[in-house]
Amino acid sequence: MKRAPKSLFFFPLVFLICGCAVGPDYHRPVAETPLAFKWGNNPNAEKPTTGEEGVTPTEVQTASGKRLEGIRWKKALPQDAIAKGEWWKVFKDPLLDQLEAQLLIGNQQLKGIYAQVVEARALVTQSLSNFFPHIGFYPFYSRLRFSQNQPFFFLQHPVFAPVFSSTTGQQIGFTQFQTGLPIYWNEWALPLAASYEADIWGRYRRELEAAKASAQATQAAYENLLLSLHAELATDYFSIRYIDAQLAVYRYMIDVFRDNLYLVQSRYDGGLANELDLARAKTDLASLQSQYIGLENTRAQIENAIAVLLGKPASSVKIASNPISGSVPVLPEYLPSDLLQRRPDVAQAERQMASANADIGVALGAFFPSVNLLASVGLLSSTIEMLFNGSSRFWTLGPFVSLPIFEGGQLVAGLQQAKAAYQAAVANYRQGVLIAFQEVENALAALKILEAQQEAQQRTVAFAKDQFDVSLVRFKEGLVNYIEVDTTEQVWLNAQLLNLQILGERFISTVALIRALGGGWEDYSMRPVGASTKSKSSGS
């Protein structure tokens, strides 16, 4: 009897240590990835040497038709844990730096998802608790009254027995005593109970694996939201600066249109201009003033959106006017595809896929018997006076085996559901990878095309200004009517506005590229392939 308890714990322990977890082990499915970004290759990039472990030379075709040889590629793996850094500081804008810092402190969405991260980590600890015995102390007292209509032999009742003489041996009378249970019953107990389910089939190990992957996915979701909010704030900020630049152009052009109106008015008063010219000049000025006011409304809406991102009331945030200007920060032109490892949304989809794979093992483990080891020890008595006597001790020990026989298809359906959820997670992961490459390509294309477009647009602005100046001189000399001035003036205005729009889109596209690449690019892992060892060490 003394050896029996040891054997009860020994065999499940052997199964626990040596047994294999049911269900498929996780292997990351292959997702199709390109060898290079078609809009991001730099023919002048330093060509690295080959021959390192896991590195193969590859020849790629650039969008311009030039070929690069010796480019190194490696299998992309999610690396959302790589520090992204304060990537917005690349714009060297102190106000933007200040706003981004306030977002990290006050944004309510971040606080909400951070609580979800804490919750997910707690669920990991909860899953880990299944590997330990559950021990509890359950003291209780109860008083019970039995029904008097129960069988007579159960409840307490009198019994009469004959009494015999000790000398003659003859019966001399009867004696009465009580037998059975009393109507009222008291019970005092101080039990200590323990239970432990041996993880023979690895179901709890799969649950822990799923919980860990789910917690990592939640952490990646937090990082993705953080990246998205920082990018959204930067986009709104540059939108306001772009609008400020537009407003500055409108103010300048309103002065120009007002001067033209005075000129037409004076010529009209002198009989040199007709009424149609005067009406056209007045209409142009009023229309421009109306557009200016409408643009101020757009600016106010974006400013209020920034306030929400900062976690502040809209009335308390005021962003000073700061027209957009300067050059767009230059990112590395050659960006290898493995930079998508840094995207937290891809990492989130991959971790969700791992969690779904582990859930298959959990569902499969429900088909196998579960072995529970139960033990209890304590004191039990009908009176509190006798509770702590040695005779009140009790203990129980034994295994409990549960084997499902018929569940009406519930277990089969659960396994099918887990497999289908995994397939859906695989599809979502691969779709996420495709979208990630699409977003990077879109941002790269936008930056390159907008840069070329702005060069052409700047020439357009200069030509439009010359055209306006010539038409104004011709109008003053009486060679043409005001319609020619009006036409060239509108062309010049629209050319300036489009030029500013392109500049604003270039800043916003830069933010979009950084976001598409998963965050800051100043880390050594964000450098162009082929960067020197010295460059890498300086960026570490």
Side-chain angles (χ1 to χ4, degrees):
M1 291 297 295
K2 292 182 179 179
R3 299 179 61 184
K6 295 181 180 180
S7 62
L8 288 174
F9 284 98
F10 175 77
F11 290 105
L13 185 60
V14 172
F15 280 113
L16 176 62
I17 297 176
C18 302
C20 296
V22 296
D25 292 331
Y26 176 67
H27 300 284
R28 184 180 295 106
V30 177
E32 182 179 358
T33 57
L35 294 179
F37 294 126
K38 61 184 178 183
W39 287 97
N41 292 322
N42 181 6
N44 299 321
E46 178 183 349
K47 298 179 178 58
T49 59
T50 60
E52 298 182 8
E53 182 180 358
V55 173
T56 57
T58 306
E59 187 179 85
V60 296
Q61 179 76 34
T62 67
S64 61
K66 299 182 179 180
R67 307 183 72 85
L68 303 177
E69 297 181 358
I71 304 301
R72 298 182 299 173
W73 303 100
K74 63 180 180 180
K75 182 179 179 180
L77 301 174
Q79 296 180 4
D80 60 300
I82 299 176
K84 307 301 188 300
E86 298 173 331
W87 54 263
W88 51 88
K89 289 189 175 181
V90 68
F91 295 101
K92 295 180 172 41
D93 190 319
L95 180 55
L96 177 61
D97 297 343
Q98 181 182 354
L99 294 175
E100 295 286 4
Q102 293 178 13
L103 179 144
L104 192 61
I105 298 173
N107 187 271
Q108 298 303 313
Q109 287 181 275
L110 284 180
K111 293 180 180 180
I113 197 170
Y114 179 76
Q116 295 177 14
V117 172
V118 176
E119 178 185 4
R121 291 174 179 174
L123 292 177
V124 174
T125 305
Q126 186 177 4
S127 297
L128 189 62
S129 67
N130 293 324
F131 294 91
F132 300 92
H134 295 177
I135 303 174
F137 181 54
Y138 310 98
F140 71 91
Y141 162 76
S142 65
R143 178 174 175 81
L144 175 65
R145 182 189 187 282
F146 293 104
S147 172
Q148 293 181 340
N149 295 326
Q150 292 185 10
F152 70 93
F153 57 84
F154 183 81
L155 293 179
Q156 192 176 72
H157 60 278
V159 176
F160 296 92
V163 178
F164 298 92
S165 173
S166 59
T167 56
T168 63
Q170 296 180 345
Q171 182 177 344
I172 60 176
F174 293 91
T175 183
Q176 178 181 348
F177 62 91
Q178 301 290 328
T179 186
L181 298 176
I183 295 178
Y184 295 97
W185 180 267
N186 295 322
E187 187 173 38
W188 300 81
L190 297 175
L192 183 67
S195 64
Y196 175 75
E197 181 176 352
D199 191 29
I200 300 175
W201 317 109
R203 180 167 63 91
Y204 285 148
R205 275 171 281 173
R206 292 301 189 192
E207 287 185 355
L208 179 61
E209 181 182 338
K212 286 181 177 180
S214 180
Q216 291 169 339
T218 306
Q219 177 67 37
Y222 170 83
E223 295 292 339
N224 187 49
L225 177 63
L226 180 62
L227 174 61
S228 298
L229 291 175
H230 279 306
E232 182 180 353
L233 176 58
T235 299
D236 288 346
Y237 175 75
F238 286 120
S239 296
I240 282 186
R241 291 195 58 189
Y242 153 59
I243 292 176
D244 288 340
Q246 282 189 317
L247 290 173
V249 170
Y250 273 112
R251 286 192 294 269
Y252 173 74
M253 294 303 293
I254 285 175
D255 292 338
V256 173
F257 277 54
R258 184 179 290 112
D259 292 341
N260 290 344
L261 176 58
Y262 293 153
L263 176 61
V264 174
Q265 182 70 53
S266 62
R267 291 178 63 84
Y268 175 78
D269 294 340
L272 299 177
N274 57 43
E275 187 174 356
L276 179 60
D277 289 343
L278 181 60
R280 189 184 299 276
K282 291 180 179 179
T283 302
D284 290 341
L285 178 60
S287 176
L288 206 61
Q289 291 171 336
S290 174
Q291 295 175 40
Y292 179 87
I293 296 172
L295 204 56
E296 285 186 323
N297 177 61
T298 303
R299 188 189 191 280
Q301 301 296 324
I302 299 177
E303 188 177 67
N304 294 339
I306 290 179
V308 174
L309 289 174
L310 302 182
K312 297 181 178 181
S315 304
S316 63
V317 175
K318 179 64 177 178
I319 299 177
S321 176
N322 184 19
I324 197 168
S325 60
S327 59
V328 178
V330 179
L331 304 183
E333 293 187 19
Y334 181 74
L335 299 170
S337 58
D338 60 3
L339 295 183
L340 287 179
Q341 299 171 23
R342 299 167 54 86
R343 284 182 62 115
D345 58 338
V346 174
Q348 179 186 0
E350 189 274 336
R351 289 292 82 198
Q352 289 172 340
M353 186 169 51
S355 178
N357 182 81
D359 286 337
I360 297 178
V362 175
L364 190 58
F367 286 86
F368 295 87
S370 60
V371 179
N372 290 270
L373 302 178
L374 306 177
S376 62
V377 63
L379 302 173
L380 180 65
S381 174
S382 61
T383 62
I384 192 171
E385 293 82 3
M386 302 289 293
L387 180 61
F388 295 98
N389 289 353
S391 58
S392 297
R393 293 177 300 170
F394 78 93
W395 61 268
T396 61
L397 178 65
F400 176 78
V401 179
S402 174
L403 175 63
I405 297 178
F406 178 73
E407 298 289 342
Q410 180 180 5
L411 299 182
V412 175
L415 181 59
Q416 292 176 342
Q417 179 186 9
K419 290 181 177 180
Y422 172 73
Q423 293 300 326
V426 171
N428 290 336
Y429 168 71
R430 289 173 173 165
Q431 179 70 10
V433 172
L434 293 175
I435 293 176
F437 278 100
Q438 177 192 15
E439 291 177 352
V440 173
E441 290 288 2
N442 288 345
L444 287 171
L447 284 175
K448 286 186 174 293
I449 294 173
L450 288 173
E451 181 181 7
Q453 183 184 6
Q454 185 150 48
E455 292 178 359
Q457 187 61 31
Q458 288 173 346
R459 295 194 299 270
T460 302
V461 173
F463 296 151
K465 176 63 167 59
D466 294 341
Q467 186 180 18
F468 168 74
D469 291 340
V470 172
S471 64
L472 186 60
V473 171
R474 285 163 56 84
F475 174 71
K476 291 179 179 179
E477 294 176 352
L479 300 177
V480 296
N481 56 24
Y482 186 73
I483 189 172
E484 181 176 299
V485 177
D486 174 69
T487 301
T488 57
E489 195 173 34
Q490 293 292 341
V491 170
W492 180 33
L493 170 62
N494 293 333
Q496 293 180 80
L497 295 178
L498 181 57
N499 185 54
L500 289 176
Q501 178 182 343
I502 295 172
L503 180 60
E505 288 179 357
R506 290 181 63 193
F507 275 91
I508 293 174
S509 295
T510 303
V511 174
L513 176 59
I514 296 175
R515 181 187 182 281
L517 293 173
W521 54 273
E522 292 185 341
D523 185 82
Y524 72 92
S525 62
M526 299 291 289
R527 296 182 182 275
V529 170
S532 63
T533 304
K534 182 178 180 180
S535 300
K536 292 185 178 182
S537 62
S538 64
S540 302

